[in-house]
Amino acid sequence: MDPIEQLLAERACRRLLLDLVRSLDLDEPASVAELFTEDGTWTWPEGDRRITGRAALRALFAARPAAERHTRSRSLMSSVHVEVTSPDTATATSYFTTFRVEHDRTAAVGAGPRNDPRRSEPPAPPAAEPDVRIGHYEDTLRRTPDGTWLLAARTLFLPRGGPAPLL
């Protein structure tokens, strides 16, 4: 593989992994499934859970309980190591720390006029102390015929933070 092609593939894979975490953090579950191949899998070894197929992933994210939707998370990704194994396949390992906190949906969150620093009242605090999860992902990525990189398999390892929630 040409070195420039390899760099471009690594960059595309790294971007895909960051886009996935961003979609989860911004509560855009519908877009998460689209980052997987049609037969893609997401596995949680603890509890022996596996979701297979884009349609099943889409259904999982759409079915998140309302209580889960009030949880805000922000993930810090680090040490994203992508290994291009062929022109159309790659593996990756990435480490993360996720801070999850329950927010009052009526409180000011995110950017915009409600969080304007010129406002006289401070934003409402979170409803609970943050839940911190530390772990890593092991991924298999595949390039589609149109050149797009997608996740073929994702496995979550969560040694700190207790059993992984559905997502």
Side-chain angles (χ1 to χ4, degrees), residues 122-137:
E129 289 299 313
D131 171 18
V132 179
R133 294 167 188 262
I134 299 170
H136 77 278
Y137 295 110

Side-chain angles (χ1 to χ4, degrees), residues 22-36:
R22 183 176 187 274
S23 293
L24 291 171
D25 280 354
L26 296 179
D27 196 25
E28 298 172 351
S31 63
V32 173
E34 304 312 312
L35 301 175
F36 283 80

Side-chain angles (χ1 to χ4, degrees), residues 10-24:
E10 289 172 3
R11 171 68 171 94
C13 291
R14 189 172 289 112
R15 177 61 186 255
L16 170 68
L17 300 177
L18 295 174
D19 284 348
L20 180 112
V21 170
R22 183 176 187 274
S23 293
L24 291 171

Side-chain angles (χ1 to χ4, degrees), residues 3 15 21 28 33 41 48 53 83 85 93 112 116 120 137 142:
R15 177 61 186 255
V21 170
E28 298 172 351
T41 62
D48 196 29
E83 183 76 32
T85 54
T93 301
D116 189 326
S120 60
Y137 295 110
R142 193 171 21 192

Side-chain angles (χ1 to χ4, degrees), residues 2 7 12 19 21 23 46-47 56 60 67 72 80 94 116 144 151 157 161 163:
D2 173 277
L7 283 172
D19 284 348
V21 170
S23 293
E46 187 171 323
L60 171 72
R72 291 286 186 206
V80 179
S94 52
D116 189 326
T144 64
L151 277 156
F157 296 92

Side-chain angles (χ1 to χ4, degrees), residues 58-131:
R58 192 178 295 116
L60 171 72
F61 288 109
R64 288 175 66 192
E68 283 272 322
R69 293 186 184 132
H70 290 286
T71 300
R72 291 286 186 206
S73 66
R74 291 297 180 259
S75 300
L76 304 174
M77 294 285 292
S78 67
S79 304
V80 179
H81 180 263
V82 175
E83 183 76 32
V84 177
T85 54
S86 80
D88 296 322
T89 60
T91 59
T93 301
S94 52
Y95 295 86
F96 68 87
T97 302
T98 298
F99 300 90
R100 295 166 46 99
V101 67
E102 183 94 7
H103 274 278
D104 176 355
R105 282 293 214 191
T106 63
V109 293
R114 296 187 68 183
N115 271 347
D116 189 326
R118 297 170 290 189
R119 290 184 62 180
S120 60
E121 71 277 0
E129 289 299 313
D131 171 18

